[in-house]
Amino acid sequence: MEFIQNWLAYMGVADELIGSLSIVIGIIGIIIVSMAAHFVAKGIILKIITYSIRNNRIKWDNYILERKVFHKLVHVVPAIIIYYSASLFPAYQGLIAKGVVLYIIVISLMVVNAFLNAVHDIYATYEIAKIRPIRGYIQVAKIFIFTIGGILLISALIGQSPVFLLSGIGALSAVIMLIFKDSILGLVAGVQLTSNDMVRVGDWIEMPKYGADGDIVDISLNTVKVQNFDKTITTIPTYALVSDSFKNWRGMQSSGGRRIKRSVFVDTSSIVFADPEMLDKFKKIHYLREYIAQKETDIEQYNLEHRMDRSVKANGRALTNIGIFRAYILRYLQHHPSIHQNMTCIVRQLQPTETGLPLEIYAFVNDINWAVYEEVQSDIFDHIFAVAPEFGLRIFQNPTGHDLQHLLKSE
């Protein structure tokens, strides 16, 4: 500044104008130098860094570039120049320095925020990210850093030591706990969910209490987002997954089989012993030929050993149409190309009800895709409903208007 004043005096400027002009020239000079430094940092150095990152074999630094960490860091260069130039203006040095410090703190927080986002992006490229998500931990780190940044901003603004503010915050710890209650609960829940591997991004979960039935798309500090099958999004508090119960379908998805557990209700009045005519008809069915032959041999041997009088049907053992039908369905499933043969496959009777005898099919489709699963299940039951009359069985159904009309016409 003294050099500028001497130069203005040498140029013949009036003494009363030298002070003002020197300040204006100083400000213009600082602006020019700051702009030049910013241009060099952003137009040259940043382009060199960008070119280097995009043309090397390392992939993780691309995420730092995409989050514009270096772009935000460039803004610190002019601020440093202004900070060290504040001594040129003794009357305003404190005010300029305070403003620059506030600016640098804000820029530093933006840089750290962008860097943490880049860290999350890099981590998300690894398969372990689905098993051990770190979004919650990143958010906790951001809360901590922004809290520290806020304290530094306030202390710089009021000119007090950060320790002074921290001592005051200690007295307000109860209020702070109340404000950050959800975040604290979410952090604890996130640790439990991660350490126990309870949920992952991509898991299909059901939580009727919150109307959630779909895939997890995001796990954060405070919320878990579930995209339901109707494409709506349900947001669940993270701690609710620890405090409440939910169903996770990951086991089904990883097993490679999806369960069929459905019953057909057989009219009990259609269940009869199989007479020779029926057995001759059933023997023509490919899946039953060997089964009936083996059963006839076993039954005949049993009845002879126990001297059963077969003139009375209640004596001894005999085949029934429902038993043969059950054996047929089991063999049909065992030969079905879409049924997982290494998993449980049974056809069983359940407790009879007023709607008939439930015949339950318990098997697993070897494709977990929902559309394929429903297609296979429908095909199987289409066949069962259509083939039941071939065994002399009727599937139970409550009377309909058509049944009543048919009954009236027959009368």
Side-chain angles (χ1 to χ4, degrees):
M1 187 62 67
E2 184 180 354
F3 170 78
I4 296 173
Q5 291 174 351
N6 292 334
W7 178 76
L8 290 174
Y10 175 77
M11 295 297 295
V13 178
D15 293 341
E16 61 271 12
L17 297 177
I18 289 179
S20 301
L21 284 176
S22 62
I23 293 174
V24 172
I25 294 172
I27 293 173
I28 294 173
I30 292 171
I31 293 174
I32 292 172
V33 173
S34 299
M35 291 177 63
H38 185 267
F39 173 78
V40 171
K42 187 174 182 179
I44 300 176
I45 298 176
L46 185 58
K47 286 185 177 180
I48 293 173
I49 293 174
T50 302
Y51 177 82
S52 176
I53 290 174
R54 289 179 176 173
N55 290 277
N56 61 25
R57 295 183 179 181
I58 303 173
K59 299 298 180 183
W60 58 264
D61 53 0
N62 291 324
Y63 294 99
I64 296 178
L65 187 65
E66 289 173 4
R67 288 292 182 175
K68 297 186 176 182
V69 176
F70 299 112
H71 294 72
K72 293 178 173 62
L73 197 58
V74 164
H75 295 289
V76 176
V77 176
I80 294 174
I81 294 174
I82 295 173
Y83 180 82
Y84 284 103
S85 301
S87 58
L88 297 176
F89 312 99
Y92 306 100
Q93 183 176 358
L95 182 62
I96 294 172
K98 182 181 291 187
V100 172
V101 168
L102 293 174
Y103 177 80
I104 291 177
I105 292 173
V106 172
I107 295 298
S108 300
L109 291 175
M110 293 173 61
V111 170
V112 174
N113 181 66
F115 179 75
L116 290 175
N117 290 334
V119 169
H120 180 265
D121 293 343
I122 294 168
Y123 183 78
T125 60
Y126 296 96
E127 192 64 27
I128 194 175
K130 294 182 180 179
I131 304 173
R132 299 283 189 271
I134 63 169
R135 179 181 289 274
Y137 302 111
I138 294 291
Q139 290 179 332
V140 170
K142 286 183 179 180
I143 291 174
F144 177 77
I145 290 169
F146 277 99
T147 301
I148 298 299
I151 293 172
L152 293 176
L153 280 171
I154 296 172
S155 63
L157 191 61
I158 64 177
Q160 294 288 342
S161 171
V163 178
F164 175 78
L165 292 177
L166 288 173
S167 62
I169 291 176
L172 296 175
S173 57
V175 177
I176 293 173
M177 291 288 288
L178 181 63
I179 294 173
F180 293 103
K181 181 192 70 171
D182 291 338
S183 298
I184 294 170
L185 289 173
L187 174 61
V188 175
V191 172
Q192 291 179 315
L193 292 175
T194 303
S195 59
N196 296 322
D197 196 18
M198 295 172 65
V199 292
R200 306 174 186 172
V201 174
D203 282 358
W204 168 19
I205 68 169
E206 281 187 52
M207 207 167 184
K209 179 179 178 180
Y210 292 91
D213 184 11
D215 298 328
I216 294 177
V217 294
D218 183 58
I219 301 175
S220 62
L221 178 62
N222 294 320
T223 59
V224 174
K225 291 183 180 179
V226 178
Q227 184 178 52
N228 301 311
F229 294 120
D230 59 0
K231 300 305 178 184
T232 58
I233 300 292
T234 299
T235 303
I236 305 172
T238 304
Y239 57 82
L241 294 177
V242 177
S243 60
D244 296 332
S245 63
F246 66 95
K247 182 186 289 187
N248 192 333
W249 289 82
R250 188 202 310 159
M252 178 275 294
Q253 294 172 324
S254 60
S255 68
R258 190 164 182 176
R259 187 184 68 176
I260 296 175
K261 188 175 182 290
R262 183 182 292 184
S263 300
V264 292
F265 291 82
V266 178
D267 189 341
T268 53
S269 63
S270 65
I271 299 175
V272 296
F273 287 112
D275 55 33
E277 183 180 350
M278 293 174 66
L279 290 175
D280 289 339
K281 177 183 177 182
F282 295 156
K283 287 178 183 178
K284 296 179 182 179
I285 299 174
H286 177 70
Y287 294 147
L288 294 176
R289 191 176 302 143
E290 294 182 3
Y291 169 78
I292 293 176
Q294 181 63 42
K295 279 292 184 180
E296 282 184 323
T297 302
D298 294 342
I299 290 172
E300 185 178 359
Q301 183 178 356
Y302 174 87
N303 290 335
L304 287 174
E305 288 177 357
H306 294 80
R307 297 179 182 180
M308 295 294 179
D309 180 10
R310 290 299 298 151
S311 61
V312 179
K313 292 183 178 180
N315 292 331
R317 295 171 57 191
L319 290 169
T320 62
N321 60 344
I322 186 69
I324 296 174
F325 183 54
R326 181 165 46 84
Y328 168 78
I329 296 175
L330 179 61
R331 281 154 181 76
Y332 174 77
L333 294 174
Q334 290 172 342
H335 289 83
H336 198 290
S338 297
I339 295 297
H340 204 303
Q341 302 303 326
N342 294 325
M343 293 185 174
T344 305
C345 181
I346 57 175
V347 181
R348 60 175 182 168
Q349 292 183 14
L350 301 180
Q351 178 72 26
T353 67
E354 67 276 5
T355 57
L357 174 66
L359 202 62
E360 185 183 75
I361 286 77
Y362 192 102
F364 289 83
V365 178
N366 57 17
D367 193 324
I368 64 171
N369 182 275
W370 188 16
V372 175
Y373 163 78
E374 293 292 351
E375 182 70 21
V376 172
Q377 182 174 236
S378 299
D379 285 344
I380 290 172
F381 279 88
D382 287 348
H383 182 80
I384 291 173
F385 285 123
V387 80
E390 297 296 320
F391 292 84
L393 295 169
R394 291 188 300 274
I395 304 300
F396 181 86
Q397 176 179 290
N398 286 321
T400 64
H402 179 269
D403 296 326
L404 297 176
Q405 289 178 358
H406 181 73
L407 182 62
L408 292 173
K409 288 180 181 178
S410 63
E411 293 178 353

